[in-house]
Amino acid sequence: MTITITAFERSPDGGKGLARDTRVRWALEEVGEPYQVRLVSFPALKEPAHLALNPFGKIPTYQEGDLALFESGAIVLHIAERHAGLLPADANARARAIAWMFAALNTVEPPILELVTAKLLESDQPWSKERLPLVAGRIRDRLRQLSARLGDADWLDGGFSAGDLMMVSVLLRTRPSGILDEFPTLAAYVARGEARPAYKRAFEAQAAINTAKPPGP
Ligand SMILES: N[C@@H](CCC(=O)N[C@@H](CS)C(=O)NCC(=O)O)C(=O)O
């Protein structure tokens, strides 16, 4: 059955791979599943046809036969559960890999998103300048803890898993602020993720769309 995901017609990051379709593409590339991409404009995200797929009007979505999913975490978990390569066979190790996915999305990503919101949407507020260091400090707290746990291991819990895929995807969002490079252990971890052939294919596929010249007059 054909898998179709949605992605931005034009990502605001200009092809840096930070939009959340990249993590879904990466998961599909890791398990070797072919997929199609339907590109969606910002206005179309808020139209009924897209809201039927994602009530919050966002990408990515995932369709496969009768199944329609939204939320990048749910999509990556679905892919990982149905195909070999992203979750360990041992039941306890599998549960721990899923816990790392939740940690990425629920513990590490929120302060990172907070900084993006603070910079993009609150910069005109009189309190914005004072608040930014607080928000950045919350990211540093989390990264310090994560870095201590990772130590000199390659991946978070044994072999590469969907937990690492999600954590690397989330950490990549701290690179533009420079915070990632303050944590050499995590910067090296992210670089290991980026060096995976499946990540490279996913990155290049989204970059091809987002760096293509718009059709001229
Ligand atoms: N928690 C959701 C977040 C989805 C999300 O925020 N997607 C962004 C792109 S990375 C989006 O579609 N933004 C467009 C908008 O909010 O209008 C997920 O992980 O899938």
Side-chain angles (χ1 to χ4, degrees), residues 84-208:
L86 282 172
L87 287 174
D90 173 76
N92 285 353
R94 204 174 172 92
R96 288 195 303 271
I98 294 170
W100 278 116
M101 288 184 70
F102 276 85
L105 294 169
N106 216 18
T107 300
V108 179
E109 194 168 46
I112 295 170
L113 294 177
E114 196 61 32
L115 186 62
V116 176
T117 307
K119 283 186 175 168
L120 287 183
L121 304 179
E122 299 170 356
S123 58
D124 55 347
Q125 298 296 324
W127 36 261
S128 171
K129 266 211 170 101
E130 280 171 61
R131 184 163 181 265
L132 278 182
L134 293 177
V135 179
R138 285 184 205 124
I139 300 177
R140 290 190 178 95
D141 289 345
R142 288 284 179 263
L143 298 201
R144 206 170 291 119
Q145 292 164 323
L146 183 65
S147 179
R149 168 54 85 96
L150 183 65
D152 56 11
D154 278 354
W155 307 113
L156 288 165
D157 192 294
F160 177 82
S161 78
D164 296 295
L165 184 152
M166 200 53 83
M167 192 63 83
V168 168
S169 300
V170 163
L171 290 175
L172 272 165
R173 300 184 133 220
T174 64
R175 190 181 271 153
S177 68
I179 295 179
L180 180 63
D181 290 329
E182 294 172 22
F183 297 86
T185 299
L186 295 181
Y189 170 64
V190 168
R192 274 192 292 283
E194 290 176 298
R196 293 180 71 83
Y199 177 83
K200 286 186 185 164
R201 288 194 295 273
F203 181 88
E204 278 155 21
Q206 66 73 37

Side-chain angles (χ1 to χ4, degrees), residues 8 19-20 23 42 45-46 57-60 71-73 173:
F8 284 133
R20 291 175 180 85
R23 51 187 77 168
F42 268 91
L45 285 177
K46 312 302 173 197
K58 293 177 186 294
I59 61 100
E71 285 297 328
S72 59
R173 300 184 133 220

